[in-house]
Structure formats: C-alpha cells, structure tokens
Amino acid sequence: MATLLQTINDPADLRRLPRPQLGPLADELRAYVLESVARTGGHLSSNLGTVELTIALHYVFNTPHDRIVWDVGHQTYPHKILTGRRDRMASLRQLGGLAGFPQRAESEYDTFGTAHSSTSISAALGMAVASRLKGEQRHCIAVIGDGAMTAGMAFEALNNAGVAETDLLVILNDNDMSISPPVGALNRYFAQLMSGRFYAAAKDIGKKVLHVAPPLFELAKRFEEHAKGMVVPATLFEKFGFNYVGPIDGHDLDSLIPTLQNIKQLRGPQFLHVVTRKGQGYKLAEADPVAYHGPGKFDPAVGLVKPATPPKPTFTQVFGQWLCDMAAQDHRLVGITPAMREGSGMVEFQQRFPDRYHDVGIAEQHAVTFAAGLACEGLKPVVAIYSTFLQRGYDQLIHDVALQNLPVVFALDRAGLVGADGPTHAGAYDIAYLRCIPNVSIACPADENETRKLLTTAYQQEHPVAVRYPRGAGIGAAVEANLQPLPFGKGELRRQGQRVAVLAFGTLLYPALQAAERLDLTVANMRWVKPLDTELLLQLAASHDALVTVEEGAIMGGAGSAVSEALQAAGIAKPVLQLGLRDTYVPHGDPARLLAMQGLDAAGIEASIRARFGGMFDRAAPNLKVVS
C-alpha cells in the first residue's frame, strides 16, 4: 500500500488531501528528507525545519501559478520532494542530478535561483509588480531565513516593497528563536486575529473615522502598537509599510494554514513571522544543528561518526591555524567573516580572540568597508570570505579598500570549483575581477604549506592582498609551524623540460607536473598572478618554443591573460595555450570529475598540450639552458 507521500506527485495532489492527513504527511516527508540526505549528503538541519511550512504554502497557494521564492535555497528539499522530484532525490548534488538549490531550469516550481542569500524579497517584488503590470492575478511569496535578513539588500527590498502598492507576502523563517508552549496558543490566536479580514477592515475604518480627530487617532495608533507589541517582537516591519503577523509556530499546521489562508485574502504588503527549529524531528540535529547543517553520508540511526583515520587538513583549517598563530604574534590582527565562522575556519579564533573576532552577518559590503575602517586606524584586518561572496562587496573593494590602498588581507576560500554546491558557489572569477584593480595583489598557493607562507607574505604588505585557495584538502603537504613568508611577487621553477613551459597558478601545479613528466615539459610554480613574476616569465619565453598557462579560474581575464599581456608589453610573440575554466557555468558534481571535464586533470592537460603543440614532440628537441 502506498504511503501518503507516494501519492503526492505535485502540489495539486497535496491540495486534494483532507486537512487531518497533513500531519501524517509531514512526518513522512521529514523522514524522507532525513533518509535522502543521509544517503547522498547535503543540507539537513535547515530542511528538517521547513517541512510544515513547505506543506502549508503549497496547500494554501496555487503553485506554480503563485510564485514562491526560497531564501536561502538550501532549505528547499521538502519543496523539491513535493513538486515532482521525490524519486530523483537519490541524485541530489550529483553530476546530472538534482541541484542543492532552486534552479529555474530544473522545475517550473523553482521560480528563482537562490543560492546567494537575501535576494528573495527583491525577486518576489519584481514578480509581483510584473503580475500587476500584465494584469495577472497571482500571489508572490518570499520565504527568507533570519540569517538572510541580516543583509542590507533584504531591507532595501522591504523599503521599496512598502511603497510599491503591490501585493507581496514576505515570510520570515526564524529558526533562531523558540516559542515556549504556554505562549504558543496565545500567539496562534493573535496571529490569526491580526491576519483576518475583520481586523484589517476594522483598522481601516478606524483610521478613516479617527483621522478627523488627530489626537484620538494618535492615541488609537499608539494603543494598537502597544497591544500588538505584547505578542510580537517589534513593529519594525510595519514601519516599512507591511502588515506584520506573528510570530507563529512554523511546525504547527493548525496555526500555519489558517493564518496563510487569511493573509491570502489581504491586499498590500504582508509580513508573516514564522518560528521554526533547525533539525526538527531528528534529535541529533536538534542538539547540534551546526554539525548537521551540511553533513556527508551517514547512518541516521548512529549519527555523524569521526573517521577512524584523521583526514588530511583542509586549506580552510590551514588558514584557521595561521590566523590564530598570527593573532598571537600581532595584537593588531582583527578577523572578519560575513556569517561563515565554521565554513571559513574561524571557530578557534573566535574562542581564543573574542575581542578581535567579528561576524558581521550576511553583509559582505559592510564586511569590506568595516575592514577598511579598521585599516585606517592602524589595525591589520583579515577578511575570511568565500571567493563567490566577495563578488557582493566589489564596489567596496574598489572604492573603500583599493583606491585608498589600505592593507587588508582577503583570505579567499572556495577558489575554483566547489563540487556539489555547483556554479552558484564556485570561485571562478576572482582572478579576473581582482587583477584589474590597481593596488591589489593576488597570490595563488599550490599547496597547504604555501598557503600558510603566502598568507604571511600577504599580511606583511601595506596594500590589499588576496590569497586564494580551494575547498577541501590539497596534496597533504607538511605545513611548517613557523610564520616565515615567501618572496613577494616571485615564482619558482619546479621542473626543467624541453620546448614547452607550463606556468601553473595554484593547486593545478601538481596535475601539471604529472603531465610534464609524460611530455618532458618545463613547469613553473608562478604563485602570484599580480604582481606577475615577469623575470621568470621572460626567461621561460626566451628558452622555450611555446607557453601553457594553467589555472582553476576563468580563462577570460585570468592568469593566462595576464601572461599574454606581459608578453605583448615586452614585444614578445610566443604561442600561449591558456587552460582554465571555460566560458560556461560548471554544474554541480564530484570535484575531480568536474576538473576532468574541464580538461584540468593531468590527462586533460596533457591532451590539450598534445592537441595544440603535438608537432613539437615529434621533432628532436634543442639543447636548452637550465633556468636558475
């Protein structure tokens, strides 16, 4: 006999269910989410917390005609399961499988791609205005997490929405606050009362009547705010022009559904505050939602288990240790992260140096300019930020940091491909978007030890420097405990070969060396994109017939482009093969396989060189002078 969940192939099936069956459906859906993530890995805590909210939204609203924008998109697994993708959950975050975030190309129910946070209100408002201009009747809903509400963009959108005279529902999914049982029933009653037509109509009539007597109107307005203030956190959102409803229990369908049905009848901008719990229904995730935020494969009956053999340290861990060691040596160091303490490896730093640790929330623009202000006063800020998220602070990087030539270190995690998280989180563009900015230097360490050393080099400079490193572990290079730097702006020769020289930027040095062994090529570890080691470059150009650049970043405008520009500036005409990330978005999947698809593993590098310069390997090689 089919379970309830197996009968739901789209939200229309859900809407045909009697209300009493929604609770059992929620239990089945939560169990299916847990089972699926345990099998594939992915985001767990946040998705366990949105089960009832997802059911309620699709039950009350006519999706996909009505638009739901999820923010951040990693809380959409229940949504995917209820919108016809249940049987594909086994392919989650795998090459050719379901994306871990909403994706418009994947389903008509995914109305907007939301992997970078805090965009939902803007997007939903745009959809609402478009519907009004086109004369279409539809509801547009933005579901935004409390973390995403820390970004300025969310408040910019609220500010615009409040005066746009458009029907829009913003749902704040607040999973950082709890409602105690004694208050829950009262909250439910007032939420339904305040979302009802009677309350809205009474308020409008009261305004019309009392406006003729301003003192009475002001008194009534204050009384209303005071009364609502007894059961809601604040009237902040009403100041933006929204009708505020809540907070209500986001796991109580008997509260969610009537409230949403009432709000559905109202006009103008509405704000519903829903309180949920990360990890809801799975005790281990409830107890430690951070650990279960994005786990790999695991046994739900056992939970997360530490591996018997300690894994190689990741680049993120190398950065975190360096940050602590440098902070212990220099009291001027201040660490900054935009809401990525765990992801950027700053947990120990926060514990050891709480006064010098600043998590600014999902506010990348502020993080960059905040660092600039610190640097103006003689401190040494280090901004730990994912490559893809620094894109959100680009104007501040140029105007507030680089233009004033301030000594800010940007530790760019997740540079290059990021595997299962896909193109929204890939650090493909940082070389291209940074190297065009005056005063900014860019370092590309090849392994864990170089990462530590080049961070020290960057810290010693009196201008902005970015150090980019990938997600996960490298080759397992032994990391020296000292804080010795490497020379600024200088690379090194790693292998002497014949005819063709490979200039490697970053961790692709090692597959380049493997390819070079098969073809007897010269290999240089360039280390710096900017300043480029032109002395080493010109030596290699003079002693080789062709050059190859290799980087885990966009080819267009990347390190290879810097090499070609330097050769042109020197008046040297030399064939250059640029290898890197092609002019396309790389999908989610296994990182090694994705690199191979881009031709950036050893076999791919070798094949590209043979295809371009194959004739050189058929002729006798000239005697080459070893470059020292």
Side-chain angles (χ1 to χ4, degrees):
M1 182 177 177
T3 64
L4 268 177
L5 184 59
Q6 289 172 332
T7 68
I8 307 299
N9 295 309
D10 58 42
D13 292 334
L14 170 66
R15 289 189 282 271
R16 283 190 284 268
L17 289 180
R19 278 271 297 275
Q21 289 189 301
L22 298 185
L25 175 65
D27 294 337
E28 291 183 20
L29 180 55
R30 179 168 283 108
Y32 194 82
V33 168
L34 176 59
E35 175 189 333
S36 299
V37 175
R39 193 167 53 234
T40 63
H43 294 97
L44 182 60
S45 295
S46 56
N47 284 287
L48 293 176
T50 56
V51 168
E52 288 83 6
L53 178 58
T54 303
I55 290 174
L57 284 169
H58 284 294
Y59 191 78
V60 171
F61 292 97
N62 182 30
T63 55
H65 177 77
D66 291 336
R67 313 297 201 211
I68 303 176
V69 183
W70 296 90
D71 185 2
V72 174
H74 64 230
Q75 62 184 330
T76 53
Y77 297 179
H79 161 80
K80 288 176 183 273
I81 293 168
L82 294 177
T83 53
R85 288 167 279 182
R86 180 185 66 246
D87 294 338
R88 296 184 61 203
M89 285 298 289
S91 69
L92 183 69
R93 292 163 37 103
Q94 300 170 41
L95 185 63
L98 293 180
F101 303 95
Q103 199 171 82
R104 282 170 55 85
E106 186 177 287
S107 171
E108 63 180 332
Y109 293 92
D110 292 0
T111 60
F112 199 78
T114 48
H116 287 197
S117 82
S118 316
T119 59
S120 59
I121 304 175
S122 298
L125 176 61
M127 294 173 185
V129 170
S131 297
R132 187 187 69 200
L133 294 175
K134 293 162 64 178
E136 298 172 344
Q137 293 294 319
R138 64 162 45 95
H139 297 277
C140 297
I141 303 111
V143 182
I144 184 168
D146 57 300
M149 279 298 300
T150 64
M153 182 176 178
F155 284 90
E156 292 170 15
L158 287 174
N159 188 50
N160 185 200
V163 297
E165 298 181 354
T166 298
D167 297 337
L168 173 71
L169 170 58
V170 175
I171 298 177
L172 173 61
N173 177 24
D174 182 353
N175 53 34
D176 207 25
M177 168 185 171
S178 61
I179 301 177
S180 58
V183 184
L186 187 62
N187 271 323
R188 181 193 302 177
Y189 170 75
F190 274 105
Q192 293 183 29
L193 172 66
M194 291 176 184
S195 67
R197 284 181 168 177
F198 172 80
Y199 175 84
K203 187 164 63 172
D204 287 342
I205 293 172
K207 285 181 180 178
K208 292 175 183 177
V209 172
L210 294 176
H211 259 303
V212 299
L216 291 176
F217 174 75
E218 188 62 29
L219 178 64
K221 182 179 177 184
R222 290 180 183 176
F223 176 79
E224 179 193 42
E225 289 182 351
H226 176 69
K228 293 183 74 173
M230 291 189 294
V231 290
V232 301
T235 56
L236 168 66
F237 299 107
E238 292 206 336
K239 300 300 183 184
F240 281 103
F242 283 76
N243 176 49
Y244 177 93
V245 179
I248 65 173
D249 185 348
H251 301 298
D252 181 1
L253 287 166
D254 290 332
S255 178
L256 279 171
I257 290 175
T259 302
L260 288 172
Q261 288 173 332
N262 283 337
I263 290 175
K264 187 178 178 180
Q265 307 304 317
L266 300 179
R267 311 297 296 178
Q270 308 294 321
F271 193 99
L272 174 61
H273 185 169
V274 172
V275 177
T276 62
R277 183 177 186 180
K278 283 186 176 181
Q280 174 75 12
Y282 182 50
K283 296 301 183 183
L284 295 174
E286 290 179 4
D288 193 352
V290 173
Y292 286 88
H293 169 72
K297 301 176 184 180
F298 70 101
D299 181 352
V302 177
L304 300 179
V305 179
K306 290 185 178 180
T309 303
K312 294 185 292 186
T314 64
F315 284 94
T316 300
Q317 291 169 331
V318 171
F319 163 74
Q321 187 59 58
W322 171 85
L323 189 68
C324 290
D325 293 346
M326 186 59 76
Q329 179 175 296
D330 188 347
H331 69 276
R332 299 175 300 162
L333 186 150
V334 178
I336 303 166
T337 178
M340 295 303 295
R341 181 189 65 171
E342 287 80 14
S344 293
M346 297 184 70
V347 174
E348 182 182 349
F349 180 81
Q350 180 200 22
Q351 294 168 347
R352 293 179 55 186
F353 306 98
D355 292 341
R356 290 190 271 161
Y357 168 80
H358 295 272
D359 183 344
V360 300
I362 303 176
E364 293 85 359
Q365 295 174 309
H366 165 63
V368 174
T369 303
F370 174 54
L374 291 167
C376 284
E377 298 302 317
L379 299 183
K380 297 284 285 187
V382 177
V383 180
I385 188 169
Y386 290 9
S387 166
T388 186
F389 295 147
L390 184 57
Q391 295 164 187
R392 307 183 70 167
Y394 194 58
D395 177 70
Q396 289 71 22
L397 174 63
I398 295 172
H399 183 269
D400 299 335
V401 175
L403 183 61
Q404 302 184 95
N405 202 25
L406 295 171
V408 177
V409 174
F410 293 94
L412 298 189
D413 205 329
R414 272 63 166 180
L417 300 181
V418 292
D421 282 338
T424 58
H425 284 60
Y429 314 111
D430 54 83
I431 293 177
Y433 72 64
L434 286 172
R435 77 176 193 86
C436 61
I437 305 174
N439 296 332
V440 175
S441 296
I442 313 165
C444 302
D447 55 40
E448 299 89 337
N449 195 42
E450 281 197 1
T451 298
R452 182 177 173 92
K453 290 180 175 295
L454 286 174
L455 283 165
T456 299
T457 306
Y459 188 79
Q460 292 177 344
Q461 307 310 307
E462 292 301 320
H463 65 272
V465 183
V467 181
R468 70 185 309 263
Y469 46 89
R471 181 179 188 170
I475 62 162
V479 180
E480 299 173 23
N482 59 52
L483 289 170
Q484 292 301 310
L486 287 169
F488 177 74
K490 303 299 291 185
E492 63 170 356
L493 189 66
R494 289 292 294 263
R495 187 186 189 279
Q496 180 63 56
Q498 304 185 68
R499 289 196 174 276
V500 177
V502 180
L503 284 66
F505 295 84
T507 55
L508 293 187
L509 168 69
Y510 291 97
L513 285 168
Q514 294 175 33
E517 287 294 327
R518 297 176 62 89
L519 298 174
D520 193 19
L521 309 177
T522 295
V523 179
N525 175 20
M526 297 303 292
R527 287 181 179 152
W528 294 87
V529 176
K530 185 182 179 183
L532 191 65
D533 189 345
T534 53
E535 180 181 2
L536 177 57
L537 169 61
L538 296 180
Q539 287 178 357
L540 295 173
S543 56
H544 293 77
D545 297 331
L547 302 176
V548 179
T549 62
V550 182
E551 60 190 299
E552 194 174 339
I555 294 174
M556 297 178 67
S561 297
V563 168
S564 295
E565 292 163 12
L567 292 173
Q568 289 180 338
I572 297 173
K574 186 73 62 172
V576 178
L577 171 62
Q578 295 175 226
L579 300 180
L581 300 180
R582 300 163 190 150
D583 187 24
T584 185
Y585 289 110
V586 181
H588 55 272
D590 175 72
R593 188 173 178 189
L594 295 178
L595 277 176
M597 290 171 59
Q598 291 286 308
L600 296 177
D601 61 346
I605 293 170
E606 177 187 350
S608 295
I609 295 173
R610 284 190 183 277
R612 177 71 180 274
F613 303 120
M616 293 187 184
F617 306 114
D618 298 331
R619 304 193 304 269
N623 292 324
L624 298 179
K625 180 181 179 182
V626 175
V627 181
S628 59

